[in-house]
Amino acid sequence: MCAALCLFFLPTRASNAIFTALEQSQDAIEITSEDQVIQYVNPAYESIMGYQQGELIGKEIIEVPKSEKNKPDLLETINSCILKGKEWQGIYYAKKKNGDNIQQNVKITPVIGQGGKIRHYVSINRPLNDNNKSEKSTERVQAESQTDIQSSKHKDRRKGSLDVKSITSRGSDGSSQRRHSSMARIHSMTIEAPITKVINIINQAQESSPMPVAEALDRVLEILRTTELYSPQLGTKDEDPHTNDLVGGLMTDGLRRLSGNEYILATKQPHHLPSHLATPLSLNDIPPRIAQTMETEASWDFDIFNLEAATMKRPLTFLGLKIFSRFGVCEFLNCPEATLRSWLQVIEANYHSSNSYHNSTHAADVLHATAYFLCKERVKQSLDPIDEVAALIAATVHDVDHPGRTNSFLCNAGSELAILYNDTAVLESHHAALAFQLTTRDDKCNIFKHIERNEYRTLRQAIIDMVLATEMTKHFEHVNKFVNSINKPLAALEENGGNSDEESVKSVLTSPENRILVKRMLIKCADISNPCRPLELCIEWAGRISEEYFAQTDEEKRQGLPVVMPVFDRNTCSIPKSQISFIDYFITDMFDAWDAFADLPNLMQHLDNNFKYWKGLDERKLHSLRPPPE
Ligand code: 5GP
Ligand code: MN
């Protein structure tokens, strides 16, 4: 296959078939680029016109000698038609290489790419008064088809051969034309997708590569053709039961086994404002004890559990008021502080205080980490004010109405939510959807009421994207995209640029695609930052998540549901082991990447310290959160 043609076609069986059709066609076919440079001619073209491919490819159409037998303005007529994207069909004299003129029935079809632009022109030329030759060639193809039929026992192959016959023998009828134009459509579809470009570039490189490289590239192509490019192949190689359970429990949607159990999560009306609770009127009215507890909220080591106690389990409202005010969220949204307060209260009321982990303290903790990350220099360089506002709102709502059960559980139990969201990102879809329902249902708490429609759409999009990014099935996809599109390019620029490449750094940081990746990584890291908190906080979080998982296992056993994470059995679980696995599998790489970007030495120090703590307990074969008293 010539290099120019490689540019166009996927190396799939389908494209091989298309290529074969081109090569076997009795019509002379010529493909040019949008600026009418010849990119391909088929063998029939070569034999009819007397040129070799190599003499034509790369030449502009106008450089090829023209016949003087055409009407003087014919070329202009053709061009005025095809340049507008319309097909032209008519009789045209072409000049063969030997100077002879040949009359042809010509059809030129512009091939439109994504975005509506013309990418190529396909010209199909059939010599007139050349019946003999055409008949003969048809006979030859038919004869070949015949042998094919004889050697094949499969009916579908016979049908394939007949199709070849019909293309070659009934060239001018409608079915053939349809075939040609759908080929052009397939052609234009496959050119445009980025993955196709990548595959084509590799194909091209393969042509001039030594065998071992070409073979290695074959394996690369094999991987590229799979869909899950960013997720590791799960479930086979890891021997560690904790890792396996975490993978099974967090990274799948519980599709391992469906149960016929009737269990349905208790449905409940969303909570409205708890009117009986004394609520602060504004930041200034926050009780002194609570205000004092929040004084150190800008520090990473801030103790959220103190705030939980001081606020009687309503840390989200109070911390939200303080942090949103620090970032000027009300000014950005043009919303009264009273609306923000009502909104925070409604959101907090819809977290389940009965969950040991996924309650409003976890949301407040994620909000805290988010605000902390937003103050990092690199993050500030990358994000706009609207991104910051989106991140703070997303953190606040990201687990709202969490039932304290995993996606796998909900799918296995056939819960209403799993049915509503088709077993796909069930919880995350629910958190995002409910957040907007709660917000827009009542003007009193609608913090978006005073922003302009387009701004609302942008903000909403960003919030939804971030909440959905907390879904653990996409963990490796988000981390790998971040590393490939941000860490690596930045590292390369730092290596050879020094200060001179400020502009390139800025463009990596602020491109719209990369800002999305930064926001996703930011909320993901905030969401599972527990192992990077000071040891005491880290231990408390580990206790809470374990308890929530134990409660799920208890319930799975009670209800006869599949146990999605058998290691999280309160009678047998080693919490240190489960933390070691969680850190090894999900945390280390992600925080290495996030630290390389945002520079977080204190978090990395805590992580190291905490990891050693869990290792220490595990080496002593302890299963508990803490060593027994001396
Ligand atoms: P979230 O549901 O909080 O938005 O997403 C974070 C996920 O990571 C949750 O499924 C949560 O159960 C899990 N996770 C967070 N921290 C820990 C931890 O310390 N250990 C384990 N095993 N899982 C955790
Ligand atoms: Mn969360």
Side-chain angles (χ1 to χ4, degrees), residues 357-358 362 366 398-399 402 470 527-528:
Y357 183 90
H358 287 102
H362 167 63
V366 176
H398 87 280
D399 272 333
H402 198 296
T470 63
D527 191 21
I528 48 179

Side-chain angles (χ1 to χ4, degrees), residues 246 249-250 357-358 362 366 398-399 402 406 427-428 431 467 470-472 524 527-531 538 541-542 545-546 548-549 565 568 578-579 581-583 586-587:
L246 281 173
L250 302 178
Y357 183 90
H358 287 102
H362 167 63
V366 176
H398 87 280
D399 272 333
H402 198 296
T406 62
L427 282 168
E428 295 72 18
H431 304 317
V467 174
T470 63
E471 194 216 339
M472 293 300 280
K524 277 191 62 54
D527 191 21
I528 48 179
S529 64
N530 305 163
C538 166
W541 287 124
I545 189 73
S546 306
E548 198 167 294
Y549 286 160
M565 296 184 283
F568 285 97
S578 81
Q579 283 296 307
S581 301
F582 185 67
I583 293 172
F586 292 109
I587 298 295

Side-chain angles (χ1 to χ4, degrees), residues 189-396:
M189 281 189 306
T190 53
I191 303 166
E192 293 301 324
I195 189 67
T196 308
K197 287 185 187 153
V198 170
I199 290 172
N200 288 336
I201 291 166
I202 294 174
N203 266 184
Q204 235 184 334
Q206 274 182 313
E207 290 208 347
S208 53
S209 304
M211 202 47 139
V213 178
E215 281 172 5
L217 289 174
D218 270 339
R219 290 196 295 280
V220 170
L221 287 170
E222 211 40 58
I223 294 166
L224 287 178
R225 285 189 206 107
T226 66
T227 48
E228 292 300 329
L229 288 181
Y230 284 92
S231 302
Q233 311 261 298
L234 301 172
T236 44
K237 61 178 193 306
D238 217 306
E239 298 291 297
D240 173 36
H242 291 83
T243 308
N244 282 340
D245 278 12
L246 281 173
V247 169
L250 302 178
M251 306 271 308
T252 72
D253 278 332
L255 299 175
R256 287 193 270 179
R257 183 151 61 93
L258 282 175
S259 126
N261 198 295
E262 293 296 334
Y263 178 90
I264 287 181
L265 268 186
T267 51
K268 63 181 185 64
Q269 291 301 309
H271 287 282
H272 294 271
L273 289 184
S275 53
H276 62 286
L277 291 170
T279 53
L281 287 174
S282 86
L283 253 188
N284 301 329
D285 304 315
I286 290 176
R289 206 166 66 85
I290 295 175
Q292 207 180 357
T293 314
M294 292 198 298
E295 264 169 18
T296 53
E297 74 46 48
S299 149
W300 180 253
D301 294 355
F302 173 67
D303 187 340
I304 195 89
F305 300 113
N306 272 344
L307 185 65
E308 181 190 63
T311 58
M312 297 191 302
K313 296 196 175 181
R314 289 186 304 136
L316 186 59
T317 302
F318 290 94
L319 189 65
L321 273 174
K322 175 125 196 240
I323 287 178
F324 279 46
S325 133
R326 177 149 69 85
F327 281 85
V329 176
C330 284
E331 288 81 356
F332 183 91
L333 296 173
N334 195 16
C335 102
E337 199 188 73
T339 310
L340 174 64
R341 179 172 25 92
S342 301
W343 179 77
L344 284 165
Q345 287 172 331
V346 171
I347 299 296
E348 182 151 37
N350 280 277
Y351 277 91
H352 301 199
S353 57
S354 53
N355 292 341
S356 62
Y357 183 90
H358 287 102
N359 49 45
S360 75
T361 307
H362 167 63
D365 182 52
V366 176
L367 173 62
H368 176 263
T370 298
Y372 182 83
F373 294 151
L374 287 175
C375 294
K376 293 286 140 189
E377 206 44 47
R378 268 281 160 81
V379 179
K380 283 201 283 191
Q381 286 167 359
S382 172
L383 301 186
D384 288 338
I386 193 168
D387 298 316
E388 293 181 0
V389 170
L392 295 169
I393 295 173
T396 305

